[in-house]
Amino acid sequence: MAEGEWEKVPVRKPDRSHENAANEGEDDGSEEEPDFSDQEGFVDDITDEELLGDLLKQKPKEAVGIDSVVVVDNIPQVGNDRLPKLKNVVRKIFSKFGQITTEHYPEEGAKTKGFCFLEFSSQANAIEAAKQMNGYKLDKLHTFAVNLFSDFDKYSSIPDKWETPEIQPYKDHGNLKNWLQQADCQDQYCVIFNAGETTAIFSNTPTEALVVEERKRWTETYVRWSPQGTYLATLHQKGIALWGGEKFQQIRRFAHTGVQLIDFSPCERYLVTFSPLIDTREEPQAIIIWDIRTGAKRRGFHCENAAQWPIFKWSADGKFFARMTTDTLSIYETPSFGLLDKKSLKITGIKDFAWSPADNIISYWVPEEKENPARVTLIELPSRRELRIKNLFNVAECKLHWQKLGDYMCCKVDRYTKSKKGQFCNFEIFRIREKQIPVDSVEVKEAIIAFAWEPTGSKFVILHGESPRISASFYNIKARANVELIKCLERRVANSLFWSPMGQFVILAGLRGMNGQFEFIDTNDMTIMNANEHFMATDVEWDPTGRYVITGVSWWSHKVDNAYWVWNFQGKVLQKCTRERFCQMLWRPRPPTLLSAEQIRDVKKNMKTYSKQFELKDRMSQSKASKELIEKRQTMIEEYTKYVARLEEQWQEEKQIRLELRSGTDTDELDSHVENMEEEVIEFFLGEEITEVDEFDYE
């Protein structure tokens, strides 16, 4: 079995030899009853778990009876007259974790004792209730202490003598960051082709792509890199597999039948998987959050609506994640995976939210309701302090866009005109780093096609208008001033924007219906460096350094001309790679740099010092000489240099011997003998050129 494939259960076919024997006899008009009995001496080596694994999971299991019981302590002590009301309150709180089959409130005298027993229909419900409701604050005087009833036996039977746990063997996966130590800093990318049958990892060079790893049927659908490039995730019917290290060995597997969508936390500590096939009220399994390091399931969730993915959105540091439901924003914290402060935010009418890419700040918006205006709110976590509220009127729709560094947040607001018959658009720009977070407004009265922030700067681009009169407007945010329009490029063939990860350069792309038109623009001086076409292109991917960009025509979208092209940032085509039924291409991300901002400024300041060696390497890579020949020449030069140094050292060591042989006369100095030296000229044949001359008539 190839590495990475999930194990396939063999299925034994019934013996049909009797059918051939029946055909040899005469046809008497009646069909012989088929015989499905086993052959003599047959031994069935297939277990019930292999054939009926899914059904056996649902088989009733013998239980002690206390595994699904929780003990809720610190509830109010009430009399018989108020007991029904207390039961209704407790039942309402705990019924969201599953069906409560039995409840018991012990009494002492005329009042309850202050605790109760709740039995759920399954153990999984009881475990979830104990995990989520322990520490729940009912009112100022009562905070629940919830435990599993089985825990009392477990903790009471702990032995007094400490036994050292057995040390588990450590499995070394090697250096998972080894690709960052590559001498020439060449980035890698993953390509799926042959209609998904082949997946390969390539190392990018200016002249050709070098194969790092290639495997058949590595994934059943598509692949994903983790945010920092440590892991490659492949999807299978039975779950997810993560690969990494120098040879891309399997790091871990996560069993989730029918998985379709995945997402990583920014810190690469957790993996979120979604499957629509398996989900029960008793045990949520539609969405599962896994711990990547241990492979343990941390928590499961139900999925009411998977139309928008990811359902959970992560904070920049991976400490929090949030999901939105009707009138509720639920924020969870790690590693407990419980609600922050044990409660959700009640936000009536919430439509969308987004995390800052750099700070623990959430932005969300709610629409207008009756006399109340629409509003955009920024809140800080975990304090839940409101940093800024912006009221908006005549709002049809909003879209939240954060700049990569978290310095700015743009709220694209589609507004109705006063007559409610037309629409126009406003861009509300929040300056996050400035005092009291001031807001600038940019109005565009044409239809908006696309919007994109410069990742590392203060510029943004807006595509607006309708074909063939589409314009690209470039803006810059000035310190303590309004937003400035840098330039407007009119009549562009574009419907998408792609900024370089390092900023400054942007691609105006006309994908799919616009036949793959590309313009490469330098926004520092607003010059169009190049314009070119990759016919029917469907995808554009910048590499992490911003030096290269790949455009592709995916077989998933078009069945012809499937290939990907590698360009430099100036719009020059370097490679045209034709792969049979090319499907997907993804650059391998790089982790954040370890250099400080001051060190980065110093490198940029002294770039001319390093540019010569970089230019030399680029010329060598573009040379037609093979890598082996260059290495051979370099080795010969090094050997010659060592040989000359060794002879010079020997010559100096023998100087005293020369003086003794020549009666103390130093003949090493040649200046006194220059007049006695004769110059010798050596001629050697370089080549011969023969030119034919027409005959000349002298007469």
Side-chain angles (χ1 to χ4, degrees):
M1 181 176 64
E3 184 178 8
E5 289 189 4
W6 293 83
E7 183 180 358
K8 298 180 180 178
V9 178
V11 179
R12 192 178 304 280
K13 296 182 179 180
D15 182 16
R16 299 185 180 274
S17 59
H18 62 279
E19 296 180 1
N20 297 329
N23 292 334
E24 293 177 1
E26 297 182 358
D27 187 3
D28 57 358
S30 63
E31 295 183 1
E32 185 178 348
E33 191 74 21
D35 182 13
F36 289 100
S37 60
D38 295 327
Q39 298 178 0
E40 184 178 355
F42 170 76
V43 178
D44 190 356
D45 58 351
I46 302 178
T47 63
D48 292 342
E49 286 74 15
E50 290 178 310
L51 291 176
L52 306 171
D54 295 338
L55 292 177
L56 290 178
K57 288 181 180 179
Q58 304 174 15
K59 181 180 178 180
K61 299 179 181 179
E62 184 177 344
V64 181
I66 60 174
D67 295 337
S68 57
V69 177
V70 297
V71 182
V72 185
D73 206 350
N74 296 332
I75 65 175
Q77 295 180 331
V78 298
N80 292 330
D81 56 334
R82 298 179 60 192
L83 182 57
K85 183 177 181 181
L86 175 63
K87 288 184 176 181
N88 288 335
V89 172
V90 173
R91 193 181 301 116
K92 182 178 180 181
I93 293 173
F94 283 87
S95 60
K96 62 183 178 181
F97 298 102
Q99 182 182 0
I100 299 175
T101 58
T102 308
E103 54 186 2
H104 176 62
Y105 291 77
E107 299 181 6
E108 185 175 13
K111 287 188 175 183
T112 58
K113 289 186 175 183
F115 62 91
C116 69
F117 300 90
L118 301 178
E119 182 179 1
F120 287 88
S121 58
S122 73
Q123 182 183 1
N125 299 148
I127 294 174
E128 191 69 16
K131 182 192 301 183
Q132 297 298 320
M133 299 309 297
N134 187 39
Y136 178 82
K137 192 172 183 179
L138 181 65
D139 53 39
K140 294 181 180 179
L141 301 177
H142 302 91
T143 301
F144 290 167
V146 185
N147 295 280
L148 293 171
F149 189 80
S150 56
D151 287 346
F152 288 90
D153 285 339
K154 181 175 68 175
Y155 295 128
S156 63
S157 61
I158 295 177
D160 297 333
K161 185 179 179 181
W162 164 257
E163 294 183 3
T164 306
E166 182 181 352
I167 299 177
Q168 299 296 322
Y170 172 71
K171 185 177 181 181
D172 186 9
H173 295 295
N175 183 8
L176 299 181
K177 304 286 187 182
N178 70 299
W179 93 96
L180 298 174
Q181 299 175 348
Q182 202 268 345
D184 294 328
C185 301
Q186 294 171 349
D187 284 289
Q188 296 179 352
Y189 58 87
C190 179
V191 176
I192 299 178
F193 54 100
N194 285 338
E197 286 293 310
T198 307
T199 304
I201 311 294
F202 293 94
S203 181
N204 181 53
T205 67
T207 54
E208 62 178 346
L210 305 177
V211 178
V212 177
E213 192 74 21
E214 181 175 325
R215 297 178 189 173
K216 299 289 186 181
R217 295 179 295 279
W218 201 351
T219 182
E220 294 181 12
T221 51
Y222 62 95
V223 297
R224 275 282 304 272
W225 290 106
S226 60
Q228 298 179 21
T230 307
Y231 308 104
L232 177 69
T234 58
L235 281 77
H236 309 266
Q237 176 61 26
K238 293 186 178 181
I240 302 296
L242 295 186
W243 311 81
E246 185 175 359
K247 297 298 182 181
F248 286 93
Q249 66 269 25
Q250 189 178 105
I251 305 299
R252 200 165 299 283
R253 294 197 302 179
F254 304 91
H256 196 182
T257 304
V259 62
Q260 293 184 356
L261 301 170
I262 65 172
D263 187 35
F264 287 90
S265 65
C267 59
E268 294 190 337
R269 182 67 190 273
Y270 306 107
L271 172 68
V272 186
T273 60
F274 165 73
S275 171
L277 300 184
I278 302 178
D279 196 18
T280 61
R281 177 61 184 168
E282 292 75 17
E283 185 177 359
Q285 296 187 61
I287 303 173
I288 300 178
I289 301 181
W290 309 86
D291 190 313
I292 291 178
R293 297 179 186 176
T294 64
K297 174 184 174 181
R298 299 310 303 266
R299 187 170 177 185
F301 293 88
H302 295 295
C303 181
E304 290 80 12
N305 181 15
Q308 184 176 0
W309 183 262
I311 294 175
F312 290 103
K313 298 180 183 179
W314 291 86
S315 62
D317 55 8
K319 292 182 178 179
F320 305 98
F321 61 98
R323 74 181 299 183
M324 182 184 67
T325 54
T326 304
D327 297 336
T328 303
L329 180 61
S330 300
I331 304 171
Y332 302 85
E333 56 185 344
T334 59
S336 66
F337 291 86
L339 282 170
L340 180 64
D341 298 333
K342 307 296 182 181
K343 59 182 179 181
S344 301
L345 288 173
K346 298 296 182 181
I347 307 172
T348 304
I350 182 172
K351 284 290 187 179
D352 194 14
F353 75 99
W355 285 94
S356 164
D359 308 288
N360 288 332
I361 299 175
I362 276 186
S363 59
Y364 67 86
W365 79 278
V366 296
E368 296 177 87
E369 184 179 5
K370 298 180 181 179
E371 301 298 326
N372 297 323
R375 70 181 189 276
V376 178
T377 306
L378 300 177
I379 60 173
E380 183 184 53
L381 293 172
S383 64
R384 305 195 185 199
R385 179 171 63 94
E386 291 185 346
L387 302 177
R388 186 69 161 87
I389 298 177
K390 174 70 175 178
N391 292 328
L392 305 168
F393 298 91
N394 299 324
V395 175
E397 185 63 36
C398 285
K399 187 68 176 177
L400 305 172
H401 301 273
W402 280 91
Q403 185 237 21
K404 185 178 179 181
L405 299 180
D407 297 337
Y408 308 100
M409 197 274 290
C410 171
C411 179
K412 173 183 169 291
V413 186
D414 296 326
R415 298 178 183 269
Y416 294 113
T417 59
K418 292 183 178 180
S419 62
K420 302 287 185 180
K421 295 182 179 180
Q423 291 187 11
F424 64 98
C425 185
N426 268 32
F427 292 88
E428 307 291 336
I429 310 297
F430 292 72
R431 300 170 183 256
I432 306 298
R433 307 299 181 196
E434 298 184 20
K435 188 177 180 180
Q436 297 181 345
I437 310 182
V439 181
D440 298 316
S441 183
V442 176
E443 182 176 318
V444 179
K445 294 189 176 181
E446 294 181 307
I448 304 300
I449 300 173
F451 171 93
W453 281 105
E454 182 183 19
T456 59
S458 57
K459 304 187 191 77
F460 62 89
V461 190
I462 303 173
L463 282 180
H464 53 92
E466 296 180 358
S467 183
R469 297 182 179 180
I470 296 176
S471 300
S473 297
F474 294 78
Y475 293 85
N476 188 26
I477 301 176
K478 295 289 187 179
R480 300 180 182 179
N482 293 328
V483 180
E484 175 190 23
L485 175 63
I486 303 174
K487 191 169 185 178
C488 180
L489 302 177
E490 299 179 347
R491 301 186 71 86
R492 316 323 289 180
V493 183
N495 53 17
S496 302
L497 300 167
F498 299 94
W499 278 97
S500 163
M502 298 294 108
Q504 183 178 347
F505 305 106
V506 67
I507 298 175
L508 304 184
L511 301 180
R512 297 176 177 87
M514 292 188 174
N515 295 336
Q517 301 289 330
F518 297 100
E519 286 185 291
F520 294 76
I521 299 175
D522 184 348
T523 60
N524 279 0
D525 52 13
M526 293 308 303
T527 57
I528 300 175
M529 299 181 293
N530 200 359
N532 210 327
E533 178 187 36
H534 186 180
F535 184 68
M536 298 306 294
T538 58
D539 303 282
V540 177
E541 293 280 346
W542 280 95
D543 84 315
T545 66
R547 294 186 65 193
Y548 303 99
V549 65
I550 283 183
T551 62
V553 181
S554 174
W555 182 79
W556 290 338
S557 299
H558 298 285
K559 302 306 180 185
V560 294
D561 298 330
N562 304 128
Y564 65 89
W565 295 0
V566 182
W567 315 58
N568 67 5
F569 69 97
Q570 296 172 321
K572 178 183 177 181
V573 179
L574 304 178
Q575 304 171 37
K576 293 185 178 181
C577 304
T578 302
R579 305 287 177 189
E580 184 69 23
R581 291 176 292 179
F582 159 75
C583 298
Q584 183 190 19
M585 178 274 162
L586 288 176
W587 286 100
R588 187 172 194 174
R590 284 180 172 264
T593 178
L594 300 177
L595 299 178
S596 64
E598 183 179 352
Q599 290 173 318
I600 294 175
R601 285 195 297 269
D602 184 63
V603 170
K604 291 182 178 180
K605 182 179 179 181
N606 300 307
M607 183 59 69
K608 292 183 179 179
T609 308
Y610 312 110
S611 61
K612 291 183 179 179
Q613 57 180 324
F614 294 152
E615 290 173 0
L616 177 61
K617 283 189 175 182
D618 288 342
R619 285 197 298 269
M620 290 177 62
S621 64
Q622 294 172 3
S623 173
K624 293 182 179 180
S626 66
K627 182 180 179 181
E628 292 78 8
L629 181 58
I630 294 174
E631 291 177 350
K632 183 178 179 181
R633 290 174 179 172
Q634 186 67 29
T635 303
M636 293 173 65
I637 292 173
E638 292 175 355
E639 290 177 352
Y640 173 76
T641 305
K642 292 178 181 178
Y643 176 71
V644 172
R646 188 169 63 253
L647 292 180
E648 289 180 352
E649 183 180 356
Q650 181 182 354
W651 184 67
Q652 291 292 343
E653 292 175 352
E654 296 174 350
K655 183 171 184 177
Q656 187 63 33
I657 300 176
R658 289 195 300 272
L659 290 174
E660 292 175 358
L661 292 173
R662 298 168 185 173
S663 303
T665 302
D666 188 0
T667 59
D668 294 343
E669 299 293 336
L670 300 179
D671 293 342
S672 60
H673 305 287
V674 171
E675 59 185 11
N676 297 325
M677 296 177 63
E678 296 181 0
E679 181 179 356
E680 182 181 359
V681 179
I682 300 176
E683 297 181 357
F684 56 92
F685 180 74
L686 291 177
E688 181 180 11
E689 183 178 355
I690 300 176
T691 304
E692 295 184 0
V693 181
D694 295 336
E695 294 183 359
F696 188 79
D697 187 4
Y698 288 94
E699 296 182 359

